[in-house]
Amino acid sequence: FSIYTGPESETRVSSKRRSVALQPDALTQLQADVAQKVQTKKNDSDAIYYFGTGPIVNPLVRKRRGVKMSGERAAILSEYRITFAVGGIANVVPGRGCEVHGVVMKFDTKEGWEEYKKMNAGNDDIRPVDVYTYADPDTPIRAYVFVMEGKDIDKDAPMEQPAEERYLRLIADGLKLHGVDEDYIEFTIMSNEYVPSRKPGDYHKFPSKSKVRKITRSKYEAICRDVTDKYYFVLGDIVCEMPVSNPENPGAKWIRGQCHGKGDMSWIIYKIRIDPDIPEIECREDLTPQHIEWAESMTYEYLSKCNLSATKCYQIVESSGQDGGGGANGGILAILCCRGSSVQVVQKGA
């Protein structure tokens, strides 16, 4: 080989430089690749990720509630733990040396995230955290998670009330579908005390007055306007009366704000209280007697948890001027945050 020095060296090097500079296609492609990487990084930083640990990890729940997410992946959150001690509901709390397994998901729109936050407004705070997916345990994803604040919950604290079987199953099935560790599912989720799900024929029912009078919808609405010591709600075409001594009772506040004087609550309970055993339907008009009976049982359990009771007192009929048949299709209600049942408790492994 030859070694060039002096002017000859500079001439040959300059020639090489010119030959590289004369590759516009390669330079353009390189610039495009860099720009794409910068844009991708920007888009990812603008994305809204959520770390789910409760029933929202189940696609059925997301579909029923109209929550649109994508890119679901199994992930781990360190220095936190999950507890069912408060209300039998999955809550994330700080826990040194602990970890929570769940599903990290990306909201398709900012509006969807804002709506989800409203849906889940309560005592939990929204906290940004770093989670790590099973597939890439070295790269953090900045995501939001709901964390219970203001309560010092011991790791071995007893449950205030048992969870519901259907609730735990929704979480377990969703985690399993996304490939979360099966030992975690078995020993952290399904090992909790739970209330067995009731089957058709064994649903809770509100008692009835000796005579259930027939009234029109306008009469029902007038009754609701004129009372202060009792609230009313509708299941199917049956009106239930609920005495209220403490308007600040959570159950009383919910009934007053969302049900009192309004229509059939069965459809919204179907959308919120997800039960895999209940036949899936697409709209309010598809409700069957089984759906309404099930919704009654769910409402009964919720009010019992709030130390409230109700009695069937009226049947709404078409406003024909007669006490005749016909039912009523009601208006839209808000979310019912039902929690649990007050019946037989099953201890896993007992």
Side-chain angles (χ1 to χ4, degrees), residues 187-229:
F187 296 110
T188 304
I189 306 300
M190 293 308 298
S191 64
N192 289 280
E193 294 179 353
Y194 64 83
V195 177
S197 297
R198 286 180 171 264
K199 304 300 181 183
D202 192 35
Y203 290 147
H204 290 295
K205 295 182 180 296
F206 290 109
S208 297
K209 289 189 174 182
S210 57
K211 182 177 181 180
V212 176
R213 294 172 48 202
K214 295 182 179 181
I215 60 173
T216 62
R217 177 167 297 280
S218 59
K219 176 65 175 177
Y220 162 64
E221 293 172 350
I223 291 173
C224 293
R225 287 194 296 268
D226 295 338
V227 298
T228 57
D229 60 344

Side-chain angles (χ1 to χ4, degrees), residues 217 234 236-237 262-264 284-285 287 316 318 327-331:
R217 177 167 297 280
V234 179
D237 59 359
K262 300 182 181 181
D264 180 14
R284 179 189 298 274
E285 288 69 29
L287 286 168
I316 296 179
E318 300 292 347
N329 292 322

Side-chain angles (χ1 to χ4, degrees), residues 268-334:
I268 197 64
I269 294 178
Y270 167 80
K271 292 179 66 177
I272 301 306
R273 290 295 300 266
I274 315 300
D275 189 335
D277 292 334
I278 297 300
E280 190 167 357
I281 56 177
E282 296 297 328
C283 61
R284 179 189 298 274
E285 288 69 29
D286 293 336
L287 286 168
T288 67
Q290 180 185 349
H291 290 100
I292 297 172
E293 291 169 4
W294 169 83
E296 178 180 350
S297 186
M298 296 296 99
T299 307
Y300 182 103
E301 291 183 0
Y302 170 65
L303 295 182
S304 295
K305 287 286 186 181
C306 298
N307 296 314
L308 294 169
S309 61
T311 306
K312 297 176 182 177
C313 58
Y314 302 114
Q315 180 183 15
I316 296 179
V317 298
E318 300 292 347
S319 54
S320 59
Q322 304 176 15
D323 286 344
N329 292 322
I332 300 297
L333 304 179

Side-chain angles (χ1 to χ4, degrees), residues 18-298:
R18 284 194 298 273
S19 67
V20 172
L22 294 176
Q23 304 296 325
D25 292 341
L27 179 59
T28 300
Q29 184 61 48
L30 177 62
Q31 291 173 332
D33 290 345
V34 171
Q36 179 64 36
K37 289 181 180 179
V38 171
Q39 185 62 41
T40 299
K41 186 173 182 180
K42 181 180 184 301
N43 291 342
D44 197 58
S45 66
D46 293 338
I48 300 173
Y49 287 95
Y50 176 72
F51 183 64
T53 60
I56 197 66
V57 302
N58 193 304
L60 176 61
V61 175
R62 297 197 294 275
K63 175 185 176 183
R64 194 79 62 83
R65 295 181 181 176
V67 178
K68 295 183 179 181
M69 299 184 187
S70 57
E72 299 91 338
R73 288 165 285 174
I76 298 175
L77 170 62
S78 298
E79 301 303 313
Y80 289 85
R81 61 185 176 84
I82 195 167
T83 177
F84 291 84
V86 180
I89 299 297
N91 291 294
V92 174
V93 296
R96 182 174 298 178
C98 300
E99 61 184 26
V100 179
H101 293 235
V103 179
V104 63
M105 303 165 273
K106 183 171 68 175
F107 273 89
D108 290 348
T109 64
K110 182 178 180 181
E111 292 74 20
W113 166 236
E114 295 299 327
E115 186 64 28
Y116 185 73
K117 287 193 292 184
K118 292 179 183 178
M119 184 187 303
N120 290 273
N123 296 324
D124 291 357
D125 288 345
I126 302 171
R127 181 177 295 184
V129 295
D130 285 334
V131 299
Y132 296 81
T133 65
Y134 281 27
D136 187 2
D138 297 321
T139 304
I141 295 177
R142 198 65 169 172
Y144 290 101
V145 65
F146 286 99
V147 177
M148 175 170 279
E149 301 285 1
K151 284 198 175 186
D152 185 15
I153 304 172
D154 187 77
K155 190 173 183 179
D156 298 318
M159 297 175 70
E160 291 180 348
Q161 59 193 36
E164 295 179 61
E165 181 184 10
R166 61 148 200 104
Y167 181 85
L168 296 181
R169 283 172 52 205
L170 285 170
I171 299 174
D173 291 349
L175 292 176
K176 185 175 181 179
L177 179 66
H178 291 99
V180 170
D181 181 72
E182 292 191 6
D183 286 341
Y184 177 88
I185 297 172
E186 178 66 22
F187 296 110
T188 304
I189 306 300
M190 293 308 298
S191 64
N192 289 280
E193 294 179 353
Y194 64 83
V195 177
S197 297
R198 286 180 171 264
K199 304 300 181 183
D202 192 35
Y203 290 147
H204 290 295
K205 295 182 180 296
F206 290 109
S208 297
K209 289 189 174 182
S210 57
K211 182 177 181 180
V212 176
R213 294 172 48 202
K214 295 182 179 181
I215 60 173
T216 62
R217 177 167 297 280
S218 59
K219 176 65 175 177
Y220 162 64
E221 293 172 350
I223 291 173
C224 293
R225 287 194 296 268
D226 295 338
V227 298
T228 57
D229 60 344
K230 58 186 70 171
Y231 301 153
Y232 294 90
F233 57 88
V234 179
L235 287 159
D237 59 359
I238 298 297
V239 179
C240 295
E241 178 183 276
M242 185 182 76
V244 177
S245 58
N246 176 18
E248 295 304 310
N249 180 297
K253 290 175 69 175
W254 188 86
I255 292 292
R256 173 65 186 179
Q258 308 300 335
C259 308
H260 183 68
K262 300 182 181 181
D264 180 14
M265 62 198 298
S266 303
W267 171 244
I268 197 64
I269 294 178
Y270 167 80
K271 292 179 66 177
I272 301 306
R273 290 295 300 266
I274 315 300
D275 189 335
D277 292 334
I278 297 300
E280 190 167 357
I281 56 177
E282 296 297 328
C283 61
R284 179 189 298 274
E285 288 69 29
D286 293 336
L287 286 168
T288 67
Q290 180 185 349
H291 290 100
I292 297 172
E293 291 169 4
W294 169 83
E296 178 180 350
S297 186
M298 296 296 99

